[in-house]
Amino acid sequence: MASNKSVLRAQDPVTYTCALCDSEDGVRWYCNDCQENLCDRCKEFHKRGRKTKNDDVVSIGVANRQCDKPVPEVCKLHPGKLCDLFCSDCNELLCSMCLSETHKHHNWKHFEDGFSIKRQHLKEHMTAISVKIDHFKNETSERHRVNEGFNDNIDTMRKEVNSQRTKLKAEVDSIADAILAELSALEKEESTMHKKDCQRSEKKVEELTRLLEQAEMTNTSSISLFETESSLRTTLPLYDVNVKYVSPKQPSFVTGSIDRVMLTKMLGELHHENQYEKTDIDSKHVKRLSKFTVTSQNTIYGICPVDDSHAWLSIHQFKNLLLVNREGVIIETVKLDFCPLRIIMVGTTDILITSNSGSTFVYKLSLHNKQVTTFADIKPHEAYDVSINERDEVFVSTNTPDIVVLNQSGTIVRKVTIRSETIRYVVCLSSGRLCVVQNVGERFTERTIKITDESGTVIQTWTGELDNGLKVGSMYLLKMSCDKFDRVFVPDIRNNQVYVLPSDGKQAVCLLDRRHGVVKPAAMGVDTCGNVWIGCVDGSVHVMGL
C-alpha cells in the first residue's frame, strides 16, 4: 500500500507549461512532431506557422509520445484530472480524486511505473503469441503434409482397387468369352448338321417324287408294269421311314451363385485401425438406425455383423443361417441339417456354429462354397456358446464350470475352469481376458458377469452395479458381444435392457431407454462402425447407432 506522503503527492494537481510562452493557462495541447506542450493561443500560432502547420497537434491526453514517456489520459470521471496513477488491485488507471474517493486503501503506483510493468508484460504476451502462432503454423503445415500423404495413399489404393477390378473383369470377361465361344461352336455345328440333314431329306423327297412320277406314267402293258413294280420293290426299302430321327441334345447353362465373400477376398480388403471412435454411452444419444423382423415370434439366437450393412442370423427352429441387410432383406440363405444356436465369424471366410440340440459338435460353415463340416467334437461336453480370441483360439462354453479351448484345426489344446455354478456365455477380450455369464443357484434369473484371466482366475465380478449409483435386481442375461474397446454389451430380457460393461468390469451403463422400444433383447452384435445389432425374442432386430 502507498505511503501517506505518496498519497499527498499524488493528490497534487498536475500542471503543464506551454513550451512557447511558459504559460500554465489552457495548456491542453501537444505536438507529437515537436514533442512540446502548447496552450490554446500558441497552438493557433503553431498551426499557422510555415514549418509547423502540418504538424500532428492533438489533445494532451492522447499524445503518443513525450520524450519517450507515456502521456496520461484525462480522467473520464473527473474532467481536468489526468490518470497518472495505477491501481494494482483493480487493474485500472486513476486520477488523484479517484484515488482519494474509492482506491485510498488499495495498492497503487505512479503511472510511469505501472506503464513500464504493463509494457514488459505486453512484450511477454506478444512473445508468447508469436510462439503460439509459429506452433499453429507448424501444426497446420504438418497437418497439410499428413493430409497430402494420406490422400496420396488413398490415390495409390484407389489405383490398386481399379487395377484389381480390371483384372477381375478381364478374368470374368475371359470366362464369359470362352463360354460364348463354345456356344458359337455348338451353334455352328448344329447349323452344319441341320443343313446336311435337310439336304439329305430334300434329296430323298426328290428321288421318291421321280419314282412316283415314273409309276404314274407306267402304261398298261404287262412288261412295263412288271418292270416298274420290280424296280420299286428293290428301291423303296432304301427309303426307310422307320429310322428314328435323333435330335441334337440341347445344351444348358447353369448359372453360378455370386459369392461376395470370395469376390471380396479376390479383390482385396481395406484395413484401417480406427474404423470408429470411442464415444461415451448415453441412452439419450443412442439412435435407432433401423428395425426389422425376419420371422415373428422366433427368438434371434445369434448375430454376426459382416459390415455396417449386413449380418448373419441364427433363429430359433430355423435349420438355416440367414444373411440380411439393415433393412431386413434376406440376401442369402444357407440350409443346414440342424437348428443353429450360437454363431461367431472367423475373419471373413468362415462361421463357427453350435447346435440347438445340445450336441457336442462345433460346426464350421465355409462362406466360399457354403459347405458345412464338423470343426470339433468336445465330447463329453455340450457345445453351447463360442468365441475367438486375438490368437485365433476358439473358446467353447459347456454349461459347466469348464470352457474348452480349441486351435484353428479344431483340436482341444486346454481347458479353462472357472469356479462357479455354470458358465453359459463367453466373450474373449484383449490381453487374454475372458468375460463370462455365470448362473448362480438353480434359478436362471440369478446371473452375474465375471472378468477372468487366461487361467480362469476371476479379476472382477459384476452383479448389476450401474453408474448412476443404482443396482439391477434379478437379471436374465443372454448372448453378449464386445466392441474393439473391450466394452461388453449384455442383453437382459427380464428388464428389457442392454448393459454396457466397461473394460474394468465395474459399473455398467444402460444403453436403452423406453423410447427405443426394445423388448426382450436376446443376442448382441457390434459391426465395423461400432453400431450395435440387437436381436430379440419376438424375432425383431434393432440396429442402434451410438
Side-chain angles (χ1 to χ4, degrees):
M1 186 176 296
S3 66
N4 292 333
K5 186 180 292 187
S6 299
V7 172
L8 292 174
R9 191 177 71 240
Q11 291 177 341
D12 292 337
V14 178
T15 60
Y16 293 99
T17 302
C18 178
L20 299 182
C21 67
D22 294 328
S23 172
E24 295 181 356
D25 296 329
V27 182
R28 290 190 288 267
W29 306 98
Y30 184 81
C31 178
N32 284 328
D33 294 306
C34 299
Q35 295 191 6
E36 293 178 339
N37 298 329
L38 301 171
C39 66
D40 292 338
R41 188 168 59 87
C42 293
K43 176 236 180 183
E44 297 300 327
F45 288 117
H46 200 78
K47 293 296 292 182
R48 288 198 294 265
R50 187 173 62 180
K51 295 183 178 181
T52 60
K53 62 181 180 180
N54 295 321
D55 283 3
D56 182 22
V57 178
V58 297
S59 172
I60 200 167
V62 295
N64 57 17
R65 61 182 182 270
Q66 186 179 4
C67 300
D68 294 329
K69 292 183 180 181
V71 178
E73 297 181 2
V74 176
C75 182
K76 296 179 181 178
L77 298 178
H78 306 100
K81 295 291 183 178
L82 295 179
C83 294
D84 54 356
L85 304 173
F86 177 74
C87 180
S88 301
D89 294 341
C90 302
N91 194 32
E92 62 182 51
L93 295 172
L94 315 171
C95 72
S96 58
M97 293 186 66
C98 292
L99 177 65
S100 62
E101 290 177 358
T102 57
H103 300 268
K104 185 179 298 183
H105 301 292
H106 292 183
N107 290 312
W108 61 271
K109 59 186 68 176
H110 286 284
F111 171 75
E112 291 84 356
D113 296 334
F115 188 86
S116 62
I117 293 173
K118 289 295 182 180
R119 175 179 287 175
Q120 181 61 34
H121 289 170
L122 181 61
K123 290 181 178 179
E124 292 173 358
H125 292 325
M126 292 172 63
T127 301
I129 290 174
S130 299
V131 171
K132 292 180 183 294
I133 289 174
D134 291 340
H135 169 79
F136 288 115
K137 283 183 177 179
N138 292 335
E139 189 177 74
T140 302
S141 177
E142 175 65 15
R143 188 64 184 87
H144 284 320
R145 187 191 66 78
V146 171
N147 177 258
E148 290 177 0
F150 187 90
N151 291 336
D152 289 343
N153 187 40
I154 293 293
D155 289 339
T156 300
M157 288 189 291
R158 186 178 285 115
K159 292 177 182 178
E160 292 174 351
V161 170
N162 286 325
S163 175
Q164 286 294 91
R165 174 163 56 185
T166 300
K167 292 177 182 178
L168 278 177
K169 283 183 176 181
E171 288 297 326
V172 172
D173 289 342
S174 175
I175 295 171
D177 288 344
I179 296 176
L180 292 175
E182 190 174 356
L183 290 175
S184 297
L186 290 174
E187 183 181 38
K188 183 177 181 181
E189 182 181 353
E190 164 58 15
S191 177
T192 301
M193 295 299 296
H194 169 261
K195 184 177 181 180
K196 288 182 178 179
D197 290 341
C198 290
Q199 287 177 346
R200 185 166 52 248
S201 297
E202 289 171 357
K203 182 179 180 181
K204 290 180 179 180
V205 168
E206 291 176 359
E207 292 174 349
L208 289 170
T209 299
R210 286 196 297 270
L211 290 177
L212 180 60
E213 291 174 351
Q214 291 176 5
E216 289 174 347
M217 295 174 61
T218 300
N219 55 34
T220 56
S221 66
S222 58
I223 296 176
S224 176
L225 181 63
F226 277 96
E227 288 178 351
T228 300
E229 189 278 332
S230 176
S231 175
L232 291 176
R233 188 169 60 248
T234 57
T235 303
L236 285 178
L238 300 177
Y239 301 92
D240 187 0
V241 296
N242 293 321
V243 177
K244 189 175 182 181
Y245 169 70
V246 179
S247 301
K249 291 184 178 181
Q250 297 288 342
S252 63
F253 178 69
V254 181
T255 58
S257 61
I258 304 299
D259 192 332
R260 182 182 177 87
V261 174
M262 180 53 65
L263 282 176
T264 300
K265 186 175 181 181
M266 295 168 65
L267 180 68
E269 294 179 283
L270 179 62
H271 289 173
H272 53 100
E273 290 297 322
N274 295 319
Q275 294 175 295
Y276 60 93
E277 294 182 358
K278 184 177 182 179
T279 58
D280 293 334
I281 303 299
D282 184 349
S283 61
K284 294 181 180 180
H285 298 123
V286 173
K287 180 182 179 181
R288 186 169 68 189
L289 304 178
S290 68
K291 176 189 176 182
F292 59 87
T293 300
V294 177
T295 174
S296 60
Q297 304 308 316
N298 284 81
T299 303
I300 306 296
Y301 278 154
I303 299 182
C304 279
V306 177
D307 49 37
D308 63 337
S309 301
H310 300 82
W312 288 95
L313 303 180
S314 61
I315 305 175
H316 176 55
Q317 292 183 342
F318 268 50
K319 286 189 175 182
N320 46 50
L321 290 182
L322 302 179
L323 178 64
V324 299
N325 64 16
R326 214 163 72 179
E327 285 68 47
V329 178
I330 298 176
I331 306 300
E332 190 169 356
T333 300
V334 178
K335 294 184 178 181
L336 307 173
D337 295 330
F338 57 92
C339 292
L341 183 63
R342 311 302 173 193
I343 56 177
I344 187 72
M345 292 283 294
V346 183
T348 59
T349 60
D350 304 293
I351 297 178
L352 295 183
I353 314 167
T354 61
S355 170
N356 192 28
S357 61
S359 168
T360 62
F361 294 106
V362 178
Y363 302 93
K364 177 187 280 190
L365 167 64
S366 172
L367 296 177
H368 167 52
N369 54 21
K370 304 305 182 293
Q371 295 296 314
V372 178
T373 57
T374 299
F375 175 70
D377 184 357
I378 63 171
K379 192 182 298 180
H381 292 295
E382 169 192 349
Y384 192 72
D385 193 16
V386 60
S387 184
I388 301 176
N389 70 3
E390 297 172 321
R391 300 192 297 271
D392 291 332
E393 292 178 321
V394 179
F395 289 70
V396 185
S397 67
T398 63
N399 275 330
T400 73
D402 293 332
I403 296 176
V404 176
V405 185
L406 312 169
N407 60 20
Q408 280 296 303
S409 300
T411 303
I412 298 177
V413 293
R414 67 180 187 278
K415 291 182 182 179
V416 176
T417 301
I418 302 172
R419 293 182 180 179
S420 62
E421 299 289 331
T422 299
I423 299 300
R424 297 284 286 181
Y425 303 99
V426 58
V427 170
C428 295
L429 306 178
S430 62
S431 303
R433 294 179 302 146
L434 301 177
C435 180
V436 300
V437 171
Q438 165 201 8
N439 280 355
V440 180
E442 297 180 357
R443 296 175 58 190
F444 283 170
T445 55
E446 296 180 3
R447 296 186 175 182
T448 63
I449 289 182
K450 293 183 180 294
I451 307 295
T452 77
D453 60 17
E454 290 182 324
S455 66
T457 302
V458 176
I459 302 171
Q460 185 72 37
T461 300
W462 183 74
T463 56
E465 296 80 8
L466 300 178
D467 67 331
N468 58 11
L470 301 178
K471 182 176 180 179
V472 185
S474 179
M475 299 180 291
Y476 197 151
L477 309 179
L478 293 180
K479 175 59 179 174
M480 55 191 176
S481 183
C482 69
D483 65 5
K484 69 177 184 179
F485 303 108
D486 276 354
R487 296 183 298 193
V488 183
F489 296 78
V490 189
D492 178 4
I493 66 172
R494 172 172 286 273
N495 298 294
N496 297 324
Q497 184 57 263
V498 172
Y499 308 114
V500 184
L501 198 64
S503 57
D504 61 12
K506 294 180 179 179
Q507 294 178 335
V509 177
C510 291
L511 181 73
L512 307 174
D513 56 30
R514 291 185 178 180
R515 68 187 171 89
H516 295 122
V518 177
V519 179
K520 294 186 177 181
M524 304 295 303
V526 183
D527 66 28
T528 54
C529 287
N531 301 319
V532 181
W533 297 58
I534 307 173
C536 300
V537 171
D538 63 359
S540 64
V541 176
H542 304 251
V543 183
M544 300 293 185
L546 304 184

